[in-house]
Amino acid sequence: MALSEVILLVEDVDLVEFYGKNDQKFNLLKKSFEDLTITSRGNMIKVTGEKKRVQACKNKVELMIKMLKQLGELNPHSVKDMLGGQNPFASKIKQDTKNVIVYGRSGKPIVPRTKNQKKLVELSEQNDVVFAVGPAGTGKTYVAVAMAVKALKLNRVRRIILTRPAVEAGENLGFLPGDLKDKIDPYLRPLYDALDDLIPSEKLEHYAKTRVIEIAPLAFMRGRTLDNSFIILDEAQNATETQLKMFLTRLGPSAKCIITGDLSQIDLPRNQRSGLVRSLGILDGIEGIGILRLNSDDVVRHRLVRAIINAYDHSDARREEELERKKAEKAKEREDRK
């Protein structure tokens, strides 16, 4: 019997997710190939035994890695089915293909995860300007960036422009270290994070150098005409009325635009009104402009984020009711004095 030995590297995936809690999924693999010696150390797996069986085990390990990369998870039941001869990976990919926005790094399919995220994709396909308004964690920015990357890959646009107001949330920019770019970058970090997940780092660096992808504060948009571009204005609740009007009038004939914001997190000074609030009121109903309102049901972050948002919403509603009650009491007192 010809013996063989191979060393496999588990790369670009979460090792805890790959091996499973207490090595649950790795032990399923070992049990399926009890005639082989299979050991692991970190991201390295060594398989020793009869040549054909070693090759079969190698194929299964590679399929597990591929499933985890493209599906974002590795369910123990799916691993059992796969080791038993089925290929749940293929059926899952086939099922999700019609909903894929774009394929990210390592071939991972990016799909809408909620009904409203799917609606955001549809509205962006049907309109040149879309407002997506909702609480934190609803995936507004991520889906918008995925749509922009898709448009770039399909040559529908030549550039992606990502912008947001550099508004301080209780901190002063002047006390941050570094030059202007260093001070502004923290405000643009969520946009960088989304791009990092969708485009390989080398290609992203090339796009940035050649200005195919541009990330800049909203103030830098003044005086420009943005055409043949997919433009995303993030955190638009912190744009003033003047800034948002300026931004919307920058759009060229071949531009696409998604504007995202969260009306519960306005950081503008009290004497300034949010341009997003006014825009939603006066632009609703214009052909070519879509408006989507997301809610806590669309939250795709930690399960507690939804509960936190609901708790704040209830608290705000009670506070508003109390203010209205006090106003009514004062008005009654004034009437009684008359």
Side-chain angles (χ1 to χ4, degrees), residues 199-313:
I199 301 175
S201 54
E202 291 180 3
K203 198 165 191 177
L204 182 55
E205 188 176 342
H206 171 71
Y207 282 157
K209 284 182 179 177
T210 55
R211 300 181 70 81
V212 171
I213 294 179
E214 180 183 351
I215 304 178
L218 178 58
F220 288 16
M221 299 296 109
R222 186 174 296 278
R224 301 178 61 180
T225 299
L226 308 175
D227 198 18
N228 291 310
S229 304
F230 199 115
I231 310 132
I232 297 171
L233 170 57
D234 194 34
E235 299 286 351
Q237 76 276 3
N238 287 328
T240 65
E241 294 183 4
T242 303
Q243 284 178 322
L244 200 42
K245 181 182 176 183
M246 175 274 292
F247 171 77
L248 289 168
T249 54
R250 300 304 94 204
L251 303 180
S254 301
K256 295 278 285 185
C257 176
I258 296 180
I259 298 165
T260 70
D262 178 0
L263 295 177
S264 69
Q265 296 193 42
I266 298 174
D267 299 313
L268 290 168
R270 289 187 178 183
N271 62 341
Q272 287 186 323
R273 287 184 60 193
S274 168
L276 181 59
V277 174
R278 187 179 183 204
S279 295
L280 292 172
I282 66 176
L283 301 180
D284 193 10
I286 295 179
E287 187 177 350
I289 295 179
I291 295 178
L292 176 66
R293 297 182 186 274
L294 299 96
N295 54 55
S296 60
D297 291 337
D298 298 299
V299 171
V300 292
R301 289 184 186 166
H302 192 286
R303 60 180 179 80
L304 286 176
V305 173
R306 181 179 302 177
I308 290 167
I309 290 170
N310 286 334
Y312 271 95
D313 286 345

Side-chain angles (χ1 to χ4, degrees), residues 6-50:
V6 297
I7 293 177
L8 306 170
L9 294 179
V10 183
E11 297 181 304
D12 300 324
V13 296
D14 185 332
L15 292 180
V16 175
E17 179 65 27
F18 177 82
Y19 287 112
K21 188 177 181 180
N22 298 322
D23 286 339
Q24 179 189 13
K25 286 173 268 190
F26 183 62
N27 288 334
L28 288 173
L29 176 73
K30 291 169 70 174
K31 187 175 181 180
S32 184
F33 291 92
E34 291 181 327
D35 54 323
L36 301 177
T37 302
I38 306 173
T39 57
S40 68
R41 184 173 183 179
N43 72 331
M44 185 178 70
I45 296 176
K46 185 165 76 171
V47 184
T48 307
E50 196 271 325

Side-chain angles (χ1 to χ4, degrees), residues 317-333:
R318 288 195 300 270
R319 184 181 295 175
E320 191 68 29
E321 289 174 4
E322 183 65 18
L323 287 173
E324 290 298 324
R325 186 184 64 79
K326 288 181 178 179
K327 283 181 183 177
E329 287 177 354
K330 286 182 179 179
K332 189 175 183 306
E333 285 176 5

